[in-house]
Amino acid sequence: MKIERPLLMIPGPTICTSEVLRALSKPTLSHVSSKFIEIFSETLKELKKIFLTEKAEIFVIAGSGTLAMEMSIVNICESGDNVLILSNGYFGERFKEICERYNLNVDYIEVKEWGENIQPETVRERLEKKEYKAVTLTHVDTSTGVSAKVKEIGEIVKNTDAVFIVDGVCATAGEEERIDEWNIDILFTASQKAIGVPPGLAILAFSPKALETYEKRKEPVKSYFMDIGLWKPIMDAYIEGRAAYFATPPVNMIYALHESVKQILEEGVEERFKRHQIIAKAFREALRALELQIVPVNEEYAASTVTGIYYPKGVADEEFRTNMIENGVIVAGGLGKLKGKIFRVGHMGTVQPSDILATIAAIENSLIKCGYKIKPGAGLEAAQEILTKI
Ligand code: PMP
């Protein structure tokens, strides 16, 4: 059966609402027109409510999550600075690669096995021994679906001079995350994840501590486009309702972001966290009923935005995912060392209970077609146990 409208359940890009998609097709305005200034100004102000910060400054730049990762590093660190990278998987490794490009002194703490979680005590011990310019942490490492202990680690880093950089690409606006309360200094995400906008925007927040660290730099930032000092007057101007130019903003993408931000705030940030938690829990109950094992070694580590699931013995990656497509649902394969061993389901952004139920049904069907013995409907029943109680 040919599927004309597949259900996109990968960990980004995610499904956008029709209002967000329609916003993209509005006539492109001049980036210095009063109408666009109004839209961008409102977007920047409202983003603070989603990032749960009153203190941090927001930057919206054309680019993807990787650009935001690199921006967080180049603006804070100078040659020879010490950086502590806390890694729960593939995107922690990426931070290491970025820092090595800039000749930083990298201390890399990684979990022994993917699925485990860096413990705050490990971070405390390391910070007592050595001074760092920055500590990086991936909130939800998309390769494993483990949600890091951001709050607890933030409590520790705040007592040092280090800037606490959190990669929220697979978390922000889905997983519970609070810049001010959790002492995050730089938080960034990309538009295509839980923010619910097509790929194309990097969104960053810099706390006063991060901006002060930038101000104290001895050498200029080694990139022109990524220099936050060149962007800050532009973001300030837009917020204050003035025109300013450094590099042309992606006007139509910002319309889409404006629309999505409005929808997120209509739902309410806390409500949105709750929806993600419930859908993720329902999904995990379904997986348990199907006797499938998730990547996080402890259920408490499991993220609300993405779940990585080991294939049961005898089920092959390609055959399973081809069957999923035939069932109308697109899921992702594994990344890095879990490639071929797991599949990943993204459940973030506009995800609703019916999406996860359709996904569970497709998983059951595909597993059966791949020769794995289950009782059809067992996963759906377990998920409904959770979903009918909300
Ligand atoms: N960090 C995390 C946690 C991610 O999930 C991703 C993308 N999957 C990135 C960084 C990189 O983002 P992008 O692909 O938009 O460059």
Side-chain angles (χ1 to χ4, degrees):
M1 188 168 65
K2 194 161 177 282
I3 304 291
E4 299 291 349
R5 49 167 189 85
L7 179 62
L8 190 62
M9 296 296 285
I10 61 173
T14 60
I15 297 172
C16 301
T17 64
S18 45
E19 290 82 3
V20 166
L21 294 177
R22 272 203 300 274
L24 283 169
S25 65
K26 284 190 192 160
T28 304
L29 291 171
S30 158
H31 57 295
V32 290
S33 64
S34 55
K35 183 66 197 157
F36 179 69
I37 293 171
E38 191 187 316
I39 290 171
F40 201 4
S41 174
E42 224 172 81
T43 308
L44 290 166
K45 287 180 195 153
E46 302 287 61
L47 275 168
K48 281 188 157 204
K49 300 181 188 159
I50 295 173
F51 277 58
L52 294 172
T53 182
E54 285 178 8
K55 296 188 262 179
E57 281 237 16
I58 308 288
F59 298 81
V60 176
I61 317 270
S64 79
T66 307
L67 179 92
M69 292 177 85
E70 194 158 347
M71 279 184 82
S72 72
I73 297 296
V74 295
N75 281 286
I76 297 303
C77 300
E78 303 180 54
S79 318
D81 277 346
N82 297 333
V83 183
L84 180 62
I85 294 171
L86 308 172
S87 175
N88 281 335
Y90 185 88
F91 288 99
E93 284 176 0
R94 179 167 293 192
F95 255 131
K96 180 166 172 273
E97 285 172 20
I98 292 172
C99 290
E100 285 170 350
R101 281 284 171 109
Y102 290 95
N103 292 325
L104 304 176
N105 287 327
V106 177
D107 281 346
Y108 185 67
I109 303 184
E110 63 179 326
V111 285
K112 278 202 193 78
E113 293 293 333
W114 283 14
E116 291 173 1
N117 208 349
I118 297 278
Q119 296 305 317
E121 252 337 281
T122 314
V123 183
R124 187 192 306 280
E125 280 165 21
R126 189 60 71 105
L127 291 180
E128 277 167 3
K129 285 195 200 118
K130 194 163 165 182
E131 280 186 21
Y132 291 93
K133 192 68 165 291
V135 176
T136 77
L137 181 64
T138 313
H139 191 166
V140 173
D141 205 303
T142 323
S143 58
T144 63
V146 166
S147 181
K149 301 187 174 220
V150 179
K151 182 183 177 190
E152 293 84 345
I153 295 174
E155 257 323 296
I156 298 165
V157 181
K158 89 166 185 215
N159 300 319
T160 71
D161 288 336
V163 171
F164 186 34
I165 298 174
V166 176
D167 172 348
V169 174
C170 195
T172 307
E175 192 80 11
E176 184 187 1
E177 186 179 67
R178 305 168 190 279
I179 294 194
D180 290 356
E181 260 183 62
W182 292 5
N183 304 291
I184 301 171
D185 294 311
I186 299 181
L187 178 69
F188 58 81
T189 189
S191 50
Q192 77 273 19
K193 302 268 187 172
I195 294 273
V197 172
L201 294 176
I203 307 164
L204 303 95
F206 273 56
S207 75
K209 181 173 169 184
L211 291 172
E212 272 163 35
T213 308
Y214 170 88
E215 291 300 334
K216 286 188 197 146
R217 294 179 65 91
K218 292 192 194 75
E219 55 182 52
V221 172
K222 284 193 175 133
S223 155
Y224 186 66
F225 184 77
M226 285 192 276
D227 188 339
I228 219 84
L230 298 175
W231 284 109
K232 190 171 176 302
I234 310 302
M235 298 300 146
D236 288 345
Y238 274 110
I239 286 200
E240 289 159 17
R242 285 183 290 113
Y245 167 73
F246 163 50
T248 311
V251 171
N252 293 55
M253 285 299 297
I254 289 165
Y255 297 160
L257 179 62
H258 180 250
E259 183 60 39
S260 191
V261 160
K262 194 179 94 191
Q263 293 185 341
I264 293 170
L265 292 176
E266 269 165 18
E267 178 181 21
V269 177
E270 303 296 339
E271 274 305 306
R272 194 172 178 90
F273 292 157
K274 214 179 291 161
R275 170 167 56 83
H276 280 78
Q277 284 159 6
I278 291 165
I279 289 176
K281 170 97 176 114
F283 186 43
R284 289 195 301 271
E285 288 305 322
L287 297 170
R288 198 193 317 275
L290 298 173
E291 294 180 23
L292 295 175
Q293 194 196 333
I294 61 172
V295 177
V297 297
N298 181 336
E299 172 117 19
E300 279 174 24
Y301 300 165
S304 300
T305 49
V306 60
T307 304
I309 304 118
Y310 286 103
Y311 285 117
K313 221 168 170 228
V315 175
D317 185 30
E318 204 182 317
E319 190 191 357
F320 174 79
R321 283 195 291 134
T322 305
N323 268 297
M324 287 296 285
I325 294 170
E326 279 164 12
N327 274 284
V329 182
I330 317 284
V331 296
L335 275 178
K337 57 181 156 186
L338 289 178
K339 196 171 168 54
K341 296 184 182 157
I342 67 165
F343 65 100
R344 295 173 303 144
V345 173
H347 31 80
M348 69 184 119
T350 59
V351 68
Q352 52 193 14
S354 57
D355 297 331
I356 208 70
L357 290 170
T359 305
I360 296 164
I363 290 173
E364 292 185 351
N365 189 305
S366 304
L367 286 174
I368 292 167
K369 299 244 170 77
C370 290
Y372 180 66
K373 293 210 168 23
I374 51 159
K375 182 170 157 268
L380 287 168
E381 189 181 333
Q384 289 286 32
E385 278 291 318
I386 306 289
L387 296 173
T388 50
K389 286 195 186 112
I390 50 175

